[in-house]
């Protein structure tokens, strides 16, 4: 695998999120009240859930179709899909927070939250297009700015100016607006409601991905709602900080998806054997890195966690972080195997696997979180992703040798 300057731009884009998370953890654990951060995190969980579920189908389908449509067709068709999905996202967000959280937020704050719900997927979509078109320098720059705007700025403003959930929401809104304006509206300039640009094949693919996203959200975020319900927002804050630390493994996933996935998608049909070999080699590298990383973690992990987490460290943190690290490794395997299903338009099997994993995850969480605490959330996440990884690998093996 030949590496060039684009690979290093990919590295910069990749490390921006985990580095921002680590900096945020250092700041939060020392200077921010657990209850406030827990309340803010719960709100962000719901916002991300709404945006993720309603917009992810359009987001992920673009990866599949960006190389099969010319730029003009792509912009018009996805402009239409984004216009519809983000309008629905805004309305749903306003309704959910107005009905269920009107005791926590006034209508001005609810409108800000709903703006966040549409700006997050819109900006992500615009940034991802730079990746699909292999404009790596611009992609890396915007990823760094996005990480700062969504992670560092809200925490810093709350610490420096006013320690409150409202301050964090307001600063996040302003940061996203700045990103949107800085990108000159990004894909928003292609917005249209012209039904002539409706593409049933893209829509069908997007719907399948949307159901997969619902299951993925249940695995990634439902445990946070259950922790808040059965335990406390302070426990939720500690768990989320642990999740952010474990997200360092997502470095691998993001490097792979940023640098290798565009090429794999573009060349798979013409160089099937070569691209399958590339996927297999990546899996082997990840396996050995996991073994080495585990050894390092068991030697130095406790000391590092105590240093980074400070007051947010508890007796379960060491086990929770390690289990979540392994969960992220399993998710990388899921994404690698899903590439084949995506190319062969068999993502229905990916969705099926995610729903089976989500069902197992929910059952474990509902039965045991209240009794055993946040360790259950970590274990259920790992179990879910291992099951999904095994199922997706089995499904994809049936299609990897099929040519168009």
């Amino acid at each position: 695998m030949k590496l060039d300057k684009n690979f290093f731009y990919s590295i910069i884009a990749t490390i921006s999120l985990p580095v921002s998370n680590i900096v945020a953890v250092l700041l939060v654990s020392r200077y921010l009240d657990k209850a406030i951060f827990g309340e803010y995190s719960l709100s962000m969980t719901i916002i991300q859930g709404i945006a993720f579920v309603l917009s992810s189908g359009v987001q992920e389908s673009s990866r599949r179709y960006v190389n099969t449509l010319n730029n003009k067709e792509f912009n018009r068709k996805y402009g239409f899909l984004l216009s519809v999905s983000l309008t629905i996202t805004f309305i749903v967000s306003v309704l959910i927070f107005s009905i269920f959280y009107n005791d926590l937020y006034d209508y001005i704050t609810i409108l800000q939250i709903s703006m966040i719900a549409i700006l997050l997927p819109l900006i992500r979509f615009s940034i991802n297009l730079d990746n699909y078109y292999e404009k790596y320098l611009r992609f890396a720059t915007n990823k760094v700015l996005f990480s700062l705007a969504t992670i560092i700025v809200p925490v810093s403003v709350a610490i420096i100016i006013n320690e409150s959930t409202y301050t964090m929401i307001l600063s996040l809104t302003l940061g996203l607006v700045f990103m949107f304006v800085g990108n000159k509206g990004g894909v928003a300039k292609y917005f249209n409601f012209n039904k002539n640009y409706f593409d049933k094949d893209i829509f069908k693919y997007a719907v399948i991905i949307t159901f997969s996203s619902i299951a993925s959200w249940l695995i990634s975020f439902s445990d946070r709602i259950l922790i808040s319900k059965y335990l406390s927002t302070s426990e939720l804050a500690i768990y989320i900080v642990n999740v952010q630390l474990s997200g360092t493994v997502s470095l691998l996933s993001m490097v792979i998806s940023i640098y290798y996935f565009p090429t794999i998608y573009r060349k798979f049909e013409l160089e099937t054997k070569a691209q399958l070999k590339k996927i297999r080699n990546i899996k082997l590298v990840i396996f050995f890195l996991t073994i080495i990383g585990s050894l390092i973690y068991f030697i130095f992990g406790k000391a590092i966690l105590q240093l980074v987490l400070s007051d947010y460290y508890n007796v379960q943190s060491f086990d929770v972080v390690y289990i979540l690290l392994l969960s992220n490794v399993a998710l990388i395997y899921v994404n690698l195997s899903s590439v084949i299903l995506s190319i062969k338009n068999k993502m229905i099997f990916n969705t099926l696997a995610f729903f089976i994993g989500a069902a197992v995850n929910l059952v474990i969480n509902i039965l045991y979180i209240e009794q055993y605490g946040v360790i259950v959330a970590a274990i259920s996440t790992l179990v879910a992703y291992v099951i999904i990884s095994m199922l997706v690998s089995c499904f994809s093996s049936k299609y990897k040798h099929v040519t168009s």
Side-chain angles (χ1 to χ4, degrees):
M1 300 180 188
K2 184 180 177 181
L3 304 181
D4 54 22
K5 65 180 181 180
N6 289 330
F7 179 80
F8 295 102
Y9 292 146
S10 301
I11 293 290
I12 293 171
T14 300
I15 66 173
S16 62
L17 180 63
V19 168
S20 295
N21 275 329
I22 291 172
V23 172
V25 168
L26 288 167
L27 294 172
V28 167
S29 61
R30 286 161 173 78
Y31 305 113
L32 203 57
D33 181 81
K34 292 185 181 69
I36 289 173
F37 184 67
E39 184 179 306
Y40 170 77
S41 298
L42 180 60
S43 299
M44 289 305 104
T45 295
I46 297 166
I47 292 169
Q48 290 171 345
I50 295 169
F52 186 65
V53 168
L54 295 177
S55 303
S56 60
V58 178
Q59 296 266 350
E60 289 303 313
S61 67
S62 65
R63 186 197 299 273
R64 172 66 180 84
Y65 287 98
V66 71
N67 290 311
T68 62
L69 299 170
N70 63 51
N71 286 0
K72 193 173 182 180
E73 281 184 304
F74 182 88
N75 293 336
R76 286 176 174 174
K77 290 180 178 180
Y78 275 91
F80 173 79
L81 286 173
L82 280 170
S83 300
V84 173
S85 66
L86 293 180
T87 300
I88 295 171
T89 298
F90 183 81
I91 294 170
V92 170
S93 179
V94 170
L95 288 175
I96 288 178
F97 279 90
S98 297
I99 294 171
F100 298 105
Y101 296 94
N102 59 350
D103 57 330
L104 289 177
Y105 304 116
D106 57 29
Y107 282 105
I108 299 299
T109 307
I110 289 172
L111 287 175
Q112 288 180 37
I113 289 171
S114 301
M115 283 295 296
I116 293 170
I118 63 174
L119 284 172
L120 279 172
L122 180 58
I123 293 171
R124 283 191 184 121
F125 188 86
S126 181
I127 294 173
N128 287 339
L129 279 183
D130 290 330
N131 180 211
Y132 302 158
Y133 292 135
E134 300 183 59
K135 298 177 181 178
Y136 289 101
L137 177 58
R138 176 172 171 156
F139 175 72
T141 302
N142 282 323
K143 283 288 285 186
V144 171
L145 291 174
F146 187 73
S147 297
L148 291 173
T150 56
I151 299 172
I152 301 299
V153 171
V155 171
S156 300
V157 170
I159 292 171
I160 297 170
I161 298 177
N162 182 24
E163 192 175 19
S164 71
T165 303
Y166 174 77
T167 302
M168 298 183 76
I169 291 172
L170 176 60
S171 58
L172 174 58
T173 307
L174 294 175
L176 291 175
V177 169
F178 172 80
M179 283 284 303
F180 180 79
V181 173
N183 280 316
K184 298 179 181 178
V187 291
K189 59 187 174 185
Y190 305 115
F191 270 24
N192 68 80
F193 288 92
N194 188 341
K195 64 182 180 181
N196 292 326
Y197 296 134
F198 173 78
D199 188 305
K200 65 179 182 179
D201 291 330
I202 295 176
F203 178 74
K204 180 180 177 182
Y205 188 95
V207 168
I208 292 172
I209 295 295
T210 297
F211 280 106
S212 176
S213 298
I214 293 171
S216 178
W217 181 86
L218 288 172
I219 296 169
S220 301
F221 297 109
S222 64
D223 52 6
R224 304 183 186 192
I225 295 174
L226 292 172
I227 289 170
S228 176
K229 176 181 174 62
Y230 292 129
L231 302 177
S232 67
T233 54
S234 295
E235 286 285 333
L236 174 62
I238 294 173
Y239 179 70
I240 289 177
V241 166
N242 290 334
V243 171
Q244 289 173 328
L245 277 182
S246 67
T248 52
V249 170
S250 63
L251 280 166
L252 281 173
S253 179
M254 287 185 283
V255 166
I256 292 165
S257 63
I258 290 168
Y259 186 73
Y260 293 113
F261 276 16
T263 305
I264 292 172
Y265 272 93
R266 191 175 67 253
K267 295 183 178 181
F268 190 89
E269 299 292 359
L270 298 175
E271 304 174 2
T272 303
K273 288 184 178 180
Q275 298 309 315
L276 285 173
K277 183 179 179 181
K278 182 184 291 184
I279 292 173
R280 186 169 60 251
N281 289 342
I282 293 170
K283 287 182 176 181
L284 285 172
V285 169
I286 293 169
F287 175 76
F288 287 113
L289 287 176
T290 302
I291 294 175
I292 295 170
S294 296
L295 292 173
I296 295 172
Y297 184 83
F298 280 103
I299 296 172
F300 303 108
K302 186 174 181 179
I304 294 172
L305 291 179
Q306 288 176 333
L307 175 64
V308 174
L309 294 177
S310 187
D311 292 342
Y312 277 58
Y313 182 86
N314 63 19
V315 292
Q316 291 185 323
S317 291
F318 182 85
D319 295 329
V320 167
V321 171
Y322 183 69
I323 294 168
L324 290 172
L325 287 169
L326 294 181
S327 300
N328 282 312
V329 172
L331 184 57
I332 297 173
Y333 279 92
V334 172
N335 292 334
L336 283 167
S337 297
S338 295
V339 170
I340 298 168
L341 295 177
S342 176
I343 291 169
K344 298 303 178 183
N345 289 324
K346 300 295 181 180
M347 286 298 282
I348 186 67
F349 294 110
N350 186 76
T351 299
L352 175 62
F354 265 91
F355 266 101
I356 292 172
V360 174
N361 174 270
L362 271 178
V363 169
I364 295 173
N365 283 334
I366 291 171
L367 290 178
Y368 300 111
I369 273 184
E370 187 173 12
Q371 183 176 359
Y372 296 105
V374 296
I375 189 72
V376 173
I379 292 172
S380 66
T381 301
L382 175 60
V383 170
Y385 285 136
V386 168
I387 291 172
I388 295 168
S389 179
M390 293 171 64
L391 289 174
V392 170
S393 181
C394 289
F395 292 144
S396 64
S397 66
K398 296 171 61 177
Y399 297 100
K400 65 183 181 181
H401 297 301
V402 180
T403 57
S404 296

